[in-house]
């Protein structure tokens, strides 16, 4: 895809965790582009994530819902985007268990709405590209060994991963049926600044600071592969510009941790930061009822993106965690703001 042909890029979900890092990267690195951030500002979307770039000339925020067909039609006719990077989604597995339908609405219907508009633009613009940002959770669960590759069969286990698998399939089907140029990436668990404190790492950092219980699901012997969010944003940039149409790329951190070991590592780092006695935060660990359908292990084989696009993670887990913890210490206001709305009620419902 030639850079010169790309002018207007729509990024959906740019006020969320990963989206905010992708928007910032594109706004700062591609001054010749116009970046449009379309976000409904749900509980997970927060414009504070982008306050350092909100007045940049090449950046426009659009508040809107991807499930609103009329709104999207008007927007696409008016702006005639040259490419779409689609991140908007409902993203939390636990919420998908208590409210699957909202995941179908945003992740499936919202994606199909975007695809319908994109097909029209692609007909008139041969360099148009639709990029779907997806998850490794579509592949289901691994046992103690093995890795997900780009050819692993889809086998989603949660309503969240089923909705993302479905949207991946729609993207591919639009490529086959309507000739839509697309790329898909499936990434492992991200962590870093701006992560909403309902997910494991930011929730536990917040709880350790506030001396609250750390609810470890089941026995904690579940494994995730963690990637620093800015390394994911860099991979998305590379794939958008250099990935091959019709291809899938797995993105991972080469960084597997059992939840319980990760929580202990986090407790140790936080004890040092807070000047607490060694091992004192570990006393907050509370084993709670397991998540239904809890996937035992995710692990990504990211050799394709490494081989074809030269990507690999740039920070170690220790470095990334250090930056992340410091960010949460320095951004207590952000934490207060994002946890003052809907999230508080949700938290009460789940764990108190
Ligand atoms: P997030 O929940 O932090 O952000 C999602 C954003 O989408 C929010 O800003 C929200 O306001 C917006 N949004 C939700 N519904 C919308 C709608 N109907 N219309 C418009 N905007 C809407 O999510 P995230 O963790 O940043 O994930 C972003 C994408 O990356 C998702 O598609 C997710 O499936 C995928 N992904 C996430 C991870 C991870 O570890 N977080 C890993 C791999 C892939
Ligand atoms: P999470 O951050 O929700 O990401 P995902 O479910 O998409 O992998 O959870 C990461 C792991 O941590 C997962 O195995 C579930 C577990 N977990 C807990 O043990 N306690 C918690 O409070 C949360 C939110 C997650």
């Amino acid at each position: 895809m030639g850079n010169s042909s790309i002018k207007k890029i729509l990024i959906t979900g740019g006020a969320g965790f990963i989206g905010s890092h992708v928007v910032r990267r594109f706004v700062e690195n591609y001054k010749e582009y116009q970046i449009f951030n379309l976000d409904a500002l749900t509980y997970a979307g927060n414009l504070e994530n982008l306050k350092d770039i909100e007045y940049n000339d090449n950046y426009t925020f659009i508040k809107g819902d991807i499930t609103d067909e009329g709104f999207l039609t008007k927007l696409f006719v008016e702006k005639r985007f040259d490419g779409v990077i689609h991140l908007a989604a409902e993203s939390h597995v636990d919420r998908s268990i208590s409210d699957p339908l909202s995941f179908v609405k945003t992740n499936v219907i919202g994606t199909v709405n975007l695809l319908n508009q994109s097909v029209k633009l692609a007909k008139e613009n041969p360099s148009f590209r639709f990029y779907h940002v997806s998850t490794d959770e579509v592949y289901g669960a691994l046992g103690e060994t093995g890795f997900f590759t780009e050819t692993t069969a889809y086998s989603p286990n949660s309503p969240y991963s089923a909705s993302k698998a479905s949207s991946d399939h729609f993207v591919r089907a639009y490529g086959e049926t309507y000739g839509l140029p697309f790329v898909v990436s499936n990434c492992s668990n991200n962590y870093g600044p701006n992560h909403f404190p309902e997910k494991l790492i930011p929730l536990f950092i917040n709880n350790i600071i506030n001396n609250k219980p750390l609810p470890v699901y089941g026995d904690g012997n579940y494994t995730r592969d963690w990637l620093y969010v800015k390394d994911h944003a860099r991979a998305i940039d590379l794939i958008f510009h250099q990935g091959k149409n019709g291809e899938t790329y797995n993105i991972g951190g080469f960084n597997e941790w059992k939840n319980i070991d990760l929580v202990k590592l986090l407790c140790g780092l936080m004890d040092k930061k807070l000047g607490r006695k060694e091992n004192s935060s570990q006393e907050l660990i509370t084993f709670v009822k397991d998540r239904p359908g809890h996937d035992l292990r995710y692990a990504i084989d990211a050799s394709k993106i490494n081989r074809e696009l030269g990507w690999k993670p740039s920070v170690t887990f220790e470095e990334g965690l250090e930056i992340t913890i410091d960010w949460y210490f320095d951004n207590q206001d952000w934490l207060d703001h994002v946890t003052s709305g809907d999230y508080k009620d949700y938290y009460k419902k789940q764990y108190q």
Side-chain angles (χ1 to χ4, degrees):
M1 169 183 291
N3 282 5
S4 58
S5 63
I6 293 282
K7 293 284 185 285
K8 293 182 176 176
I9 310 298
L10 177 68
I11 300 178
T12 70
F17 167 46
I18 301 170
S20 62
H21 293 281
V22 175
V23 166
R24 180 177 298 97
R25 185 176 175 95
F26 273 70
V27 165
E28 286 178 348
N29 290 3
Y30 300 102
K31 302 274 189 247
E32 70 277 24
Y33 294 176
Q34 280 294 322
I35 304 300
F36 296 86
N37 170 15
L38 168 61
D39 198 296
L41 300 182
T42 68
Y43 80 95
N46 187 350
L47 288 177
E48 232 174 301
N49 294 345
L50 292 164
K51 61 174 189 274
D52 53 321
I53 57 143
E54 69 185 340
Y55 297 116
N56 281 40
D57 288 342
N58 62 341
Y59 172 69
T60 308
F61 173 68
I62 303 164
K63 185 170 187 302
D65 190 327
I66 58 168
T67 66
D68 183 341
E69 198 182 344
F71 160 76
L72 270 197
T73 307
K74 215 165 143 247
L75 179 70
F76 273 65
V77 167
E78 193 184 304
K79 302 289 186 206
R80 313 190 65 72
F81 302 112
D82 296 290
V84 173
I85 305 176
H86 175 36
L87 296 103
E90 286 295 336
S91 67
H92 190 41
V93 173
D94 293 331
R95 285 180 189 254
S96 82
I97 294 168
S98 46
D99 178 19
L101 199 54
S102 58
F103 284 67
V104 176
K105 285 182 185 150
T106 290
N107 300 1
V108 184
I109 296 174
T111 301
V112 174
N113 266 335
L114 285 167
L115 290 168
N116 284 337
Q117 298 308 322
S118 298
V119 163
K120 293 186 215 161
L121 292 184
K123 280 207 178 106
E124 294 156 20
N125 178 357
S127 65
F128 184 92
R129 166 169 276 187
F130 187 93
Y131 181 170
H132 189 225
V133 176
S134 192
T135 167
D136 62 352
E137 301 189 26
V138 298
Y139 298 122
L142 290 164
E144 294 294 342
T145 58
F147 294 92
F148 297 134
T149 72
E150 287 80 359
T151 56
T152 301
Y154 277 32
S155 182
N157 291 320
S158 72
Y160 164 65
S161 54
S163 70
K164 292 297 290 188
S166 172
S167 51
D168 283 2
H169 287 320
F170 269 104
V171 173
R172 190 167 308 284
Y174 271 61
E176 290 294 325
T177 305
Y178 306 108
L180 178 71
F182 74 89
V183 278
V184 173
S185 59
N186 297 87
C187 186
S188 64
N189 287 60
N190 286 214
Y191 70 95
N194 299 344
H195 206 183
F196 194 85
E198 65 183 350
K199 308 277 169 65
L200 181 74
I201 290 180
L203 176 70
F204 280 30
I205 291 175
N206 194 20
N207 285 10
I208 292 169
I209 294 173
N210 295 299
N211 261 311
K212 284 186 174 168
L214 306 177
V216 173
Y217 297 164
D219 58 7
N221 281 318
Y222 293 90
T223 300
R224 298 292 182 263
D225 169 10
W226 293 95
L227 177 67
Y228 185 56
V229 63
K230 290 189 185 179
D231 279 331
H232 188 190
R234 186 165 49 82
I236 289 172
D237 182 348
L238 266 177
I239 292 168
F240 183 68
H241 289 103
Q242 294 173 34
K244 284 202 205 98
N245 278 336
E247 294 280 319
T248 282
Y249 297 86
N250 278 356
I251 309 168
F254 303 95
N255 181 40
E256 284 183 52
W257 283 81
K258 278 199 187 327
N259 292 342
I260 189 65
D261 296 335
L262 164 53
V263 170
K264 285 180 181 164
L265 171 72
L266 199 57
C267 286
L269 292 170
M270 295 289 289
D271 283 342
K272 278 197 203 120
K273 288 270 176 219
L274 290 160
R276 287 184 189 162
K277 196 161 74 28
E278 216 181 311
N279 295 332
S280 57
S281 297
Q282 274 198 41
E283 286 166 23
L284 298 169
I285 293 175
T286 313
F287 292 95
V288 299
K289 193 163 159 277
D290 210 348
R291 173 188 279 175
H294 199 165
D295 287 332
L296 179 68
R297 176 170 164 261
Y298 303 144
I300 279 273
D301 175 351
S303 52
K304 176 176 171 180
I305 184 173
N306 176 252
R307 195 175 55 245
E308 295 187 9
L309 304 180
W311 177 91
K312 62 177 193 306
S314 70
V315 295
T316 65
F317 195 41
E318 287 69 18
E319 288 164 348
L321 267 186
E322 192 79 29
I323 301 168
T324 304
I325 292 169
D326 286 344
W327 188 87
Y328 281 91
F329 273 113
D330 293 344
N331 288 275
Q332 290 288 311
D333 283 357
W334 181 93
L335 267 174
D336 290 343
H337 296 164
V338 302
T339 54
S340 60
D342 165 57
Y343 166 75
K344 269 201 168 146
D345 297 335
Y346 170 77
Y347 184 83
K348 267 191 211 127
K349 241 186 4 221
Q350 295 285 310
Y351 303 114
Q352 289 177 3

